Amino acid sequence: MKHSDSLHDVLKAARSDIRLIRDLAREGDGFFETKTNTPPTALSTTEVAELRSIGEIFQEPKKIGVKRTVRIESKNVADTMLHFAGSIKQRTFFSEMALVYLVSRLEAFLKDYLQAMLLQDPRRLRSSTQLTYEEALRYPSMPALRRALAEREAEALGYKSIDEVEKALHKKFDVRLSNFPSWQSTREIVYRRNLLVHNRGVINDIYRSATGFRGKMKHVDTDMTYVQAASTTILEFIDFVGANLGNESKHTT
């Protein structure tokens, strides 16, 4: 396989996976919409009225210091409320898991693309990385050694924040990912994923500082509409990476 083909294949694979995630989000949202709106059992006229009255109570403005207590008379109504609550929670879990995988796929793309570029232009491997004679002699050929060094450098990228990745690629290739028109949205997507994985979605100072969020909301709300929009942004971003990093690399070989 030619190295130029490697860059193309990395882009193609990432585009395909991200489109699948976007399609999954769209289809999954439809599934949970139907499930949420379908009660587990048919309700009588009296039970529908009870359910409606409970809903009206929860829609009333909450008064400070006043505890709201609701008595549910019908088991069918109780089962229906549990069904609705469970479906809404499942829908949220599904959205959050889709976003986590979306960003993980973006990070894998950046590592794979960097590795392919380093193999295309081995001069880029000149860095502060050092090997002992024993380490170098483990590899049967110079191409094998170059691949190992490229893998090592690409793997290191996976431990950096999105902002550190931007700085590292700018230093090595003189290309600014921050010139991507939706760069701030891309950063927010990544930092939101970090909140979901490491902080249960609770907004912290790192997220506020990175994204400039100044609202009073304490928890990020992530639904399928957000995931679909994020997928589109990531697709545009990887195309930007390919058009800029890929083209820049061709000029240096």
Side-chain angles (χ1 to χ4, degrees):
M1 180 185 291
K2 298 179 181 178
H3 293 313
S4 58
D5 293 336
S6 296
L7 292 174
H8 173 75
D9 289 344
V10 170
L11 277 166
K12 183 178 178 181
R15 288 193 194 103
S16 177
D17 286 349
I18 292 170
R19 289 193 186 104
L20 285 174
I21 296 171
R22 185 174 60 183
D23 292 343
L24 177 65
R26 186 182 300 114
E27 294 169 9
D29 199 37
F31 168 80
F32 283 108
E33 178 74 21
T34 301
K35 182 178 180 181
T36 301
N37 294 328
T38 305
T41 57
L43 301 179
S44 67
T45 303
T46 302
E47 289 169 337
V48 169
E50 182 184 357
L51 185 62
R52 185 179 294 113
S53 66
I54 293 172
E56 291 172 352
I57 291 173
F58 282 105
Q59 288 177 356
E60 294 175 358
K62 188 175 182 180
K63 297 179 181 179
I64 298 176
V66 178
K67 183 178 292 186
R68 193 153 38 190
T69 303
V70 177
R71 180 179 177 83
I72 302 174
E73 301 292 344
S74 168
K75 181 179 183 302
N76 284 344
V77 171
D79 290 343
T80 298
M81 291 184 67
L82 287 174
H83 168 79
F84 287 156
S87 296
I88 292 171
K89 193 68 174 178
Q90 288 175 338
R91 196 173 187 178
T92 299
F93 283 156
F94 192 76
S95 301
E96 292 176 350
M97 288 188 291
L99 183 66
V100 168
Y101 186 71
L102 174 66
V103 176
S104 296
R105 189 61 186 85
L106 167 63
E107 292 172 337
F109 159 74
L110 290 171
K111 291 194 298 181
D112 293 344
Y113 203 77
L114 172 61
Q115 181 175 326
M117 290 189 67
L118 293 175
L119 291 174
Q120 176 174 287
D121 183 9
R123 291 174 296 173
R124 297 290 189 183
L125 287 170
R126 296 172 184 171
S127 65
S128 58
T129 302
Q130 295 182 349
L131 290 177
T132 64
Y133 284 118
E134 291 93 63
E135 289 175 317
L137 290 173
R138 293 176 188 168
Y139 302 97
S141 64
M142 185 57 70
L145 176 59
R146 288 172 178 167
R147 176 167 291 279
L149 291 173
E151 288 178 356
R152 179 180 296 188
E153 188 161 347
E155 283 297 320
L157 203 69
Y159 297 97
K160 299 180 183 295
S161 71
I162 186 67
D163 293 314
E164 291 171 334
V165 169
E166 199 276 341
K167 291 177 182 178
L169 295 181
H170 175 242
K171 181 178 180 181
K172 183 169 286 292
F173 299 106
D174 196 28
V175 171
R176 304 242 54 151
L177 299 185
S178 55
N179 287 335
F180 173 56
S182 298
W183 173 243
Q184 293 306 321
S185 295
T186 304
R187 293 177 67 251
E188 193 281 330
I189 291 166
V190 175
Y191 280 105
R192 178 179 292 241
R193 186 285 309 266
N194 294 347
L195 277 184
L196 294 175
V197 172
H198 303 295
N199 210 43
R200 296 178 292 107
V202 178
I203 295 172
N204 56 19
D205 289 341
I206 296 175
Y207 179 85
R208 291 181 183 275
S209 176
T211 66
F213 179 76
R214 296 292 180 268
K216 295 181 180 181
M217 189 170 62
K218 296 182 179 181
H219 188 282
V220 290
D221 293 325
T222 304
D223 57 19
M224 287 304 183
T225 300
Y226 178 92
V227 175
Q228 291 177 54
S231 299
T232 298
T233 299
I234 297 303
L235 279 171
E236 294 171 352
F237 177 65
I238 65 173
D239 284 341
F240 176 88
V241 171
N244 288 269
L245 282 179
N247 286 341
E248 194 278 340
S249 178
K250 292 175 184 177
H251 295 315
T252 60
T253 54

